[in-house]
Amino acid sequence: MIEVKSFAGLRRFAPDKLQKLNLFETDGFFCDVYCLEPGQEQKAHAHAGSDKLYAVLEGTVTVSVGGETRELRAGEIVLCPAGSQHGLVNRSGARAALLVFMAPRP
Amino acid sequence: MIEVKSFAGLRRFAPDKLQKLNLFETDGFFCDVYCLEPGQEQKAHAHAGSDKLYAVLEGTVTVSVGGETRELRAGEIVLCPAGSQHGLVNRSGARAALLVFMAPRP
């Protein structure tokens, strides 16, 4: 059964923390939408054997990978290689949303 | 070294066939942008052990997965499970672009 979802329309924001909304999960990967209010973050962490992509769908986020920090705008994507410390924070005044892909699934 | 790329800005169209532009490739997955002129297609095929996602960034494409066909617009995403026959065609009159993830890398 073919299952079409909307990554543009899937949003849920909450005042306490960033929201992770799953789109697809298989034996091999997951694909989520992350929704961040201003000030919300995903603290730096690492996955020993899994690579992750952060693709910014709307807003602006500050991403750290392996000790380096960059500001990403909508339309930009970054690789967080397996083993690297990575995290993100919404330092802007507006909501942000990202498409997040990780494989293999941890 | 953090490497930021633009999935919104990466486009290359060619008259002879769809263009596959790589964004990231790791031991575990690849992430490409596919660019299709009207009439161009990726013929149906299957990957025994790898799942794929088609996420439409612009335009409209007709996607087939496991014998079912759906029209996807910008902002929509579909899973092509491992082993399923899948393909796509741009039957619209405008260019189309997709973000494509596959894991494990075949």
Side-chain angles (χ1 to χ4, degrees):
Chain A
M1 178 86 87
I2 189 169
E3 193 177 13
V4 177
K5 299 189 176 184
S6 171
F7 65 88
L10 184 66
R11 298 287 186 274
R12 187 182 67 232
F13 294 87
D16 56 329
K17 62 178 180 180
L18 83 83
Q19 300 294 295
K20 298 180 182 180
L21 310 175
N22 184 252
L23 280 165
F24 293 106
E25 188 166 351
T26 74
D27 289 344
F29 63 68
F30 75 74
C31 179
D32 288 346
V33 171
Y34 287 5
C35 298
L36 295 91
E37 293 278 9
Q40 294 183 340
E41 66 178 337
Q42 180 171 50
K43 285 187 197 300
H45 62 291
H47 308 281
S50 297
D51 301 300
K52 185 187 280 183
L53 294 171
Y54 288 135
V56 182
L57 298 174
E58 58 180 86
T60 302
V61 294
T62 305
V63 174
S64 299
V65 182
E68 284 188 81
T69 298
R70 290 281 297 275
E71 189 171 280
L72 268 70
R73 295 162 185 277
E76 294 185 315
I77 186 170
V78 68
L79 173 66
C80 312
S84 66
Q85 285 282 325
H86 61 280
L88 57 87
V89 57
N90 180 359
R91 295 198 198 285
S92 79
R95 287 175 165 179
L98 297 94
L99 192 63
V100 180
F101 178 81
M102 184 154 73
R105 198 157 56 91
Chain B
M1 179 85 87
I2 190 170
E3 193 177 12
V4 177
K5 299 190 176 183
S6 171
F7 65 87
L10 184 67
R11 298 289 185 274
R12 187 182 69 232
F13 294 88
D16 55 331
K17 61 178 180 179
L18 83 85
Q19 299 295 295
K20 298 181 181 180
L21 311 175
N22 185 253
L23 281 164
F24 294 106
E25 187 166 352
T26 73
D27 289 343
F29 65 71
F30 74 72
C31 177
D32 288 347
V33 172
Y34 287 5
C35 298
L36 295 91
E37 293 279 10
Q40 292 182 341
E41 66 179 338
Q42 180 171 48
K43 286 187 197 297
H45 62 291
H47 309 282
S50 298
D51 301 299
K52 184 187 283 184
L53 293 172
Y54 288 135
V56 183
L57 297 174
E58 59 179 86
T60 302
V61 294
T62 304
V63 174
S64 299
V65 182
E68 285 186 82
T69 299
R70 291 281 298 273
E71 190 170 278
L72 267 70
R73 295 162 184 277
E76 294 185 315
I77 185 170
V78 68
L79 173 66
C80 312
S84 66
Q85 286 283 328
H86 60 279
L88 57 87
V89 55
N90 179 359
R91 296 198 197 285
S92 79
R95 286 175 166 178
L98 297 93
L99 193 62
V100 181
F101 302 97
M102 185 155 72
R105 198 157 55 90

